[in-house]
Every structure is written in C-alpha cells, then in structure tokens.
Amino acid sequence: MLKGSYWNPERSLENCKKDYISHLTGLKEERPGMDKLVSYLTKKTDFFTAPACETGLGACEGGLLRNSLNVMSRMCMEIGADATETGEDVNALLDSVTVVSLLSGIWKANYYRPVMKQ
C-alpha cells in the first residue's frame, strides 16, 4: 500500500471527507449546484462511511470515499502529465477529471447494508 494512498489507515475518514469536499467545492471552473450535491451526500446518504464493495479492498467503512479519492488522485496524475505534454489547458481538464472520478461511485451510496455474521 502506498504511503500517500487514501487507503493508508493513518488517513482518518474525517480527513478523507474533508479532502473530498474540498476537491469538489474548490474547482477552478464554477459548477453550479455542487454545494447542494455535497449537502445531499452529507445529510441524506451514507457515502462517506459506505463500503465500496461487498468483498475485497473497499469492503470496509469508508471504502467508497477512499476509493473515489484514490481514483481521482491517480487519474489527475496520469491525465495531468499527458495534458502537459500536449499543451492542453491542464486546469480545465483536471477539473473535469476531478468531477468525474469523485462522483463515479455515488450510485453506491445507500446501496450496501451491514449484515450480522453468525
């Protein structure tokens, strides 16, 4: 596991949640309604504590949040490097990549339910 990874247990869920919200609300290009989406995710879903899957790496409290942040981090790193090489507008591209990657898993909010093992 990479030290900088959001899977690192030294990164608390609360800090991951702050990073997630900061990335979505701190976009350089204005995205109307983002504050309402963040409010919805915070107040009406389990997004910040939900697992990303039933088994495997993301099958833990906060797995969905941590996975979304890791996808964003990796995509921004890869796409940013490519955009720099081609001379594209890196900021606009990274804003789009941030939105797509951070929101790609929100459909899983309120999807998984804890079960009691016998």
Side-chain angles (χ1 to χ4, degrees):
M1 182 176 328
L2 299 173
K3 181 95 170 134
S5 166
Y6 282 96
W7 290 115
N8 187 326
E10 293 176 12
R11 288 186 186 241
S12 71
L13 276 183
E14 191 57 36
N15 284 340
C16 289
K17 179 179 177 180
K18 287 177 185 175
D19 284 356
Y20 185 93
I21 292 170
S22 175
H23 285 299
L24 275 184
T25 58
L27 298 167
K28 291 166 191 67
E29 187 177 314
E30 185 177 339
R31 307 277 173 142
M34 196 60 74
D35 55 335
K36 291 179 184 175
L37 178 60
V38 168
S39 178
Y40 169 77
L41 290 174
T42 303
K43 295 176 182 174
K44 305 239 178 189
T45 74
D46 64 354
F47 179 83
F48 296 105
T49 57
C53 57
E54 290 181 358
T55 61
L57 181 61
C60 60
E61 182 180 15
L64 185 53
L65 170 62
R66 290 179 188 275
N67 185 65
S68 298
L69 287 164
N70 277 324
V71 169
M72 180 221 44
S73 179
R74 183 60 188 241
M75 285 184 69
C76 284
M77 184 174 61
E78 296 290 331
I79 302 260
D82 289 345
T84 301
E85 288 178 15
T86 61
E88 296 178 60
D89 180 3
V90 177
N91 288 334
L93 186 57
L94 290 179
D95 270 7
S96 295
V97 169
T98 297
V99 170
V100 168
S101 57
L102 288 181
L103 300 181
S104 65
I106 64 170
W107 67 272
K108 292 182 182 182
N110 297 334
Y111 184 78
Y112 293 109
R113 298 284 177 249
V115 293
M116 297 292 289
K117 291 185 179 183
Q118 297 183 2

